[in-house]
Amino acid sequence: LMDAMDHSTYHFLGQIILIGTDAERKEYRIIDGQQRLTTLSILLIVLREYFMETEGEDAASTFDVLIKAQELDGDEQRRLELLKGTGDDESYEQLYLGEPDAATGDIGDAYDYFNKKVSSLNHNKVEDLRQTILREVSIIKTVPKDISSAYRVFQTENNRGKDLRTVDLIKSLVLEAAA
């Protein structure tokens, strides 16, 4: 991202593979790309807090659109939920609620990392980073028709280039068989 920001170039974060969890496909389960989406979301939360402190709620709301979903009844909810039972979702919830000191583990560490990086930049650079994320970052979203197809896409995409660990292929096959 910093390279894209410094050179005003497009930055491709890769493909994410999703599967709809309901008939209307309003909610999705992430088959591949959870780490990228989690990392990007944590950076967005750090930027939301930075702009809240420096420019106020209007500037921070740019990021709320990306990390919050508006329900028909007006309630807001997180766009991203992490696996339950690992502690990650609970830590991410704390970040989402604006309580970073309560975030622990890898989620808390990632927040601290991005917070230090953003804090080390001058305001113009942080603004450049915001514009880069909003205008120059791209992710390809693939939503196969069913879970079996989703895992076939995952296996195809991840079995090219760098070798996939055996455990990743086995996990993918087990998840496909369980679907």
Side-chain angles (χ1 to χ4, degrees):
L1 282 176
M2 297 304 282
D3 189 50
M5 181 178 79
D6 290 339
H7 298 99
S8 297
T9 60
Y10 166 83
H11 186 76
F12 177 59
L13 288 178
Q15 172 179 286
I16 60 170
I17 303 170
L18 308 171
I19 190 72
T21 60
D22 60 359
E24 294 85 34
R25 290 191 168 203
K26 291 182 180 180
E27 291 188 10
Y28 297 92
R29 187 171 68 208
I30 302 168
I31 303 301
D32 188 35
Q34 182 168 343
Q35 187 172 0
R36 274 170 283 159
L37 290 176
T38 302
T39 302
L40 182 59
S41 293
I42 293 169
L43 176 57
L44 293 172
I45 288 170
V46 167
L47 290 169
R48 175 187 69 178
E49 290 179 4
Y50 174 87
F51 282 101
M52 178 67 85
E53 290 175 16
T54 60
E55 295 185 19
E57 198 168 323
D58 284 347
S61 68
T62 302
F63 301 102
D64 280 339
V65 170
L66 299 171
I67 60 177
K68 293 180 180 180
Q70 189 84 25
E71 296 293 317
L72 291 175
D73 62 6
D75 287 344
E76 293 178 341
Q77 73 176 46
R78 293 185 291 156
R79 286 189 182 273
L80 180 65
E81 290 188 21
L82 307 180
L83 292 175
K84 306 288 185 200
T86 63
D88 289 346
D89 191 62
E90 294 79 6
S91 287
Y92 184 79
E93 175 77 6
Q94 295 305 311
L95 295 182
Y96 173 80
L97 295 173
E99 301 292 335
D101 293 336
T104 60
D106 291 340
I107 300 297
D109 291 345
Y111 174 87
D112 291 342
Y113 172 82
F114 284 127
N115 194 40
K116 285 178 189 163
K117 288 288 188 187
V118 168
S119 296
S120 72
L121 300 173
N122 68 44
H123 184 72
N124 289 338
K125 281 287 192 188
V126 179
E127 178 58 37
D128 289 347
L129 179 58
R130 171 170 56 178
Q131 294 305 319
T132 297
I133 290 170
L134 295 175
R135 296 186 177 146
E136 305 296 334
V137 170
S138 179
I139 296 174
I140 293 177
K141 175 178 82 172
T142 302
V143 185
K145 64 180 176 161
D146 57 39
I147 193 79
S148 206
S149 298
Y151 283 108
R152 275 196 298 283
V153 171
F154 171 80
Q155 290 166 352
T156 301
E157 287 300 310
N158 287 290
N159 202 18
R160 296 181 182 169
K162 183 180 173 187
D163 286 342
L164 210 62
R165 297 178 309 166
T166 303
V167 70
D168 293 326
L169 284 172
I170 292 170
K171 183 171 77 171
S172 171
L173 291 170
V174 168
L175 290 171
E176 179 181 0

